[in-house]
Amino acid sequence: VILFIAGCSGSDMPFRERIGLQGQPTFSLHLFRFLAAAWAGLLFYAGPRWKRFTVGSLFLPLALILAYRFLGDVNYLLALGVGLLGFALLIGLYLRWPRLLTGFAAVWVLPALYLSYIYYSGSFFLNRILLIGLLVFSGLLSVARPKLGLSVLSSALATFILVFALPVTWSFGWIITLFLAGCLWQLALQPRISGWAPQDTLPGQTIREQLRSAVTTAALLTAAALLALIATIPQINLGASPFPGRIAQLNINSPTLIFSVEDSYYLSQRPYPWALAAPAPGFLPRLAVLFTGKSRRSEIHRLRAVKDSTELAKMRRAAEITSLAFQKIAPLIRPGISEAELAEAIAETFEQNGASGFAFPSIVGAGANATLPHYSANSAVLKNGFLVVDIGCMYENYASDMTRTFPINRSYTAAQRKLLNVVLAAADSCAARLRPGQSFRELNRLSHKIIDQAGFGKYYLHGLGHPVGLNVHDPGVDTLRAGMVVTIEPGIYVPEDAEVDSIYWNLGVRVEDSYIITADSCERITHF
């Protein structure tokens, strides 16, 4: 079943389901998804009894990922060794103080579920006191009741593994249901089954013997996973790349691993989810990559930040198609029409004008929904207040991003006009300063200062903007350079019961345009 689901994730999916740059399914991806599902299944089945397996399922990837993050650009083998040493330290501490380290391992679970709720609701309003309270409560509960802590930890790990590994559209309802079902099974149902799971340590084992066993098992599993990855991963021959200029700038003279659809496409026009890139084809790079290879992720991202003329032409067309969608929906906006009808009109415009898909799920939020920056349910009927429409399409694998805010009743109240003018003042002030050498962080501070001086700083919930390219949130650098494409998108989101005059309640406003940084200024490419 898992392999069938994975096989359905190719680029031939219906237009309305294509989000972002579509990855090319590979055997290694199918294998990863199958093994991830098996790993999650074991955690669901026997998490509280296989204690080392449960905590190791957190500690091993955590240690390896952190080591790769900080040492991967030096040498893969060094990062691997430090990662395994970090795992040995964590598992050794767990064997010495199991209650304390169980609390440490499970401390993230309830905060992660709360953040998932925030994410899926589309809101950016974060109750920091509640978040800290959940953090402390998760840790203390797991220290006081280790079996409960292990059940919560294993169910959460299994749930998040499935969410990130499988090509399924998840809602928060499914996530919380899967998590609670795992906890119920482990705490109430499974113990009633005789011989339901063995212990994961042998009677009489010393801590040193348990540690040696855990580290040996982790090392063998890591080695097996790496061998499977390296043996099955698709290979990019950089010598035959259609972009020799990019390859020359990167000067890649040893094999490197690519863990990004966008990076792989940027170097080879092959959108692999992961790949091994080498100066020449052959089996030798597969053998040598761990010993002589290192991550080139940062260098690729610095290069991706500046677009060439071909990329800019595609992005101009993507922006033009998105602008056409606003022309299509503007006359339709009125009380009584639904968010879904507007979203469908947007999709039709994208498809009819040659877009290959959506850069991200369309945001069509009316009334109180306009105060949720990442609202995407698109299921309400327009009544009054503001309508925020944040959309973007993909054109030949390059993204666009644009937002407009409309008064649903087709005329502005005084409160609506005030909020819109504040946001436009911030946007225009920052756009006027877009040029090579400008710090984007400084522009972000300027936009927050303008909105704060107007009395709405508490309700500006995000940064000023972001780079755009192969991904709608492309990698970028702080100092702007000619050829970069960035968005300017300040916003104000005033919920009900906010600490401002009630005439502003349930009003959300955001205006966003995309700009190409030119030799001495900028060019706005979204127009409506």
Side-chain angles (χ1 to χ4, degrees), residues 452-466:
D452 189 51
Q453 288 175 342
F456 299 100
K458 184 178 180 180
Y459 308 105
Y460 181 9
L461 305 176
H462 51 73
L464 173 64
H466 54 85

Side-chain angles (χ1 to χ4, degrees), residues 262-330:
E262 292 79 15
D263 288 352
S264 176
Y265 182 83
Y266 184 74
L267 295 180
S268 67
Q269 284 198 317
R270 307 296 290 272
Y272 294 128
W274 44 56
L276 186 150
F283 188 70
L284 188 60
R286 294 184 186 274
L287 298 177
V289 64
L290 288 181
F291 301 94
T292 64
K294 62 179 181 178
S295 172
R296 310 299 289 266
R297 178 175 177 270
S298 297
E299 298 163 69
I300 295 171
H301 285 185
R302 280 195 291 271
L303 196 60
R304 272 180 57 190
V306 178
K307 278 66 178 176
D308 61 29
S309 59
T310 302
E311 293 177 292
L312 293 177
K314 293 176 181 179
M315 296 192 68
R316 285 189 179 94
R317 178 55 184 162
E320 182 182 355
I321 295 171
T322 305
S323 303
L324 290 173
F326 279 103
Q327 292 182 24
K328 175 72 175 288
I329 67 168

Side-chain angles (χ1 to χ4, degrees), residues 39-58:
W39 182 17
L42 288 174
L43 284 166
F44 274 130
Y45 178 69
R49 294 291 291 274
W50 289 350
K51 301 172 185 177
R52 291 190 327 203
F53 174 71
T54 297
V55 297
S57 293
L58 174 68

Side-chain angles (χ1 to χ4, degrees), residues 461-481:
L461 305 176
H462 51 73
L464 173 64
H466 54 85
V468 187
L470 289 167
N471 195 314
V472 71
H473 284 244
D474 228 33
V477 293
D478 177 50
T479 303
L480 299 178
R481 295 167 58 192

